[in-house]
Amino acid sequence: MEHLSNGEWTLMNALWERQPATVAQLVHALAPETGWSKHTIITMLSRLEKKGAVAHRENGRAKEFWPVLDQADACRRETRSFLDRLYGGSLGLMVSTLVGTEALTPD
């Protein structure tokens, strides 16, 4: 599975919350946050389908989309990619960096 862009994450989160969903439902759900047009969402869904992250079926005049990519798997993969890119795969180095920049309480 290819890396998901920030916009693709936004769209996938909407699908994980309300699956299956039509383009019109996604436009309505994402409008306050993104203001994306119908055409933008259709383009992104097409890219996500090519990546194997979503699938669709014809339901009358509208297509219904649902995530094929499991949310927990996507999060694990993204976390691993983040660790590898920024910290050479070292969870300890990441925690050390966070501890060095954030004040810890006794709790």
Side-chain angles (χ1 to χ4, degrees):
M1 166 69 56
E2 294 179 48
H3 172 76
L4 298 178
S5 70
N6 289 340
E8 289 169 338
W9 272 101
T10 299
L11 185 52
M12 288 301 296
N13 282 324
L15 275 175
W16 284 318
E17 289 175 15
R18 60 185 61 75
Q19 57 179 304
T22 65
V23 171
Q25 290 168 330
L26 291 167
V27 168
H28 179 74
L30 293 169
E33 179 183 354
T34 66
W36 290 337
S37 72
K38 174 177 102 172
H39 299 293
T40 299
I41 290 179
I42 289 169
T43 299
M44 291 179 71
L45 286 167
S46 176
R47 287 183 188 156
L48 287 167
E49 202 161 15
K50 286 178 184 167
K51 289 182 178 185
V54 302
H56 80 273
R57 67 175 162 255
E58 302 291 331
N59 187 6
R61 290 183 49 209
K63 291 180 180 178
E64 288 185 326
F65 292 85
W66 68 91
V68 174
L69 180 60
D70 180 71
Q71 188 174 17
D73 289 342
C75 289
R76 276 191 292 276
R77 191 171 20 255
E78 191 69 20
T79 301
R80 173 52 51 198
S81 174
F82 174 80
L83 273 176
D84 290 346
R85 281 189 329 253
L86 272 67
Y87 299 100
S90 171
L91 179 61
L93 183 57
M94 184 186 83
V95 171
S96 175
T97 300
L98 290 173
V99 169
T101 61
E102 297 291 324
L104 296 177
T105 65
D107 293 336

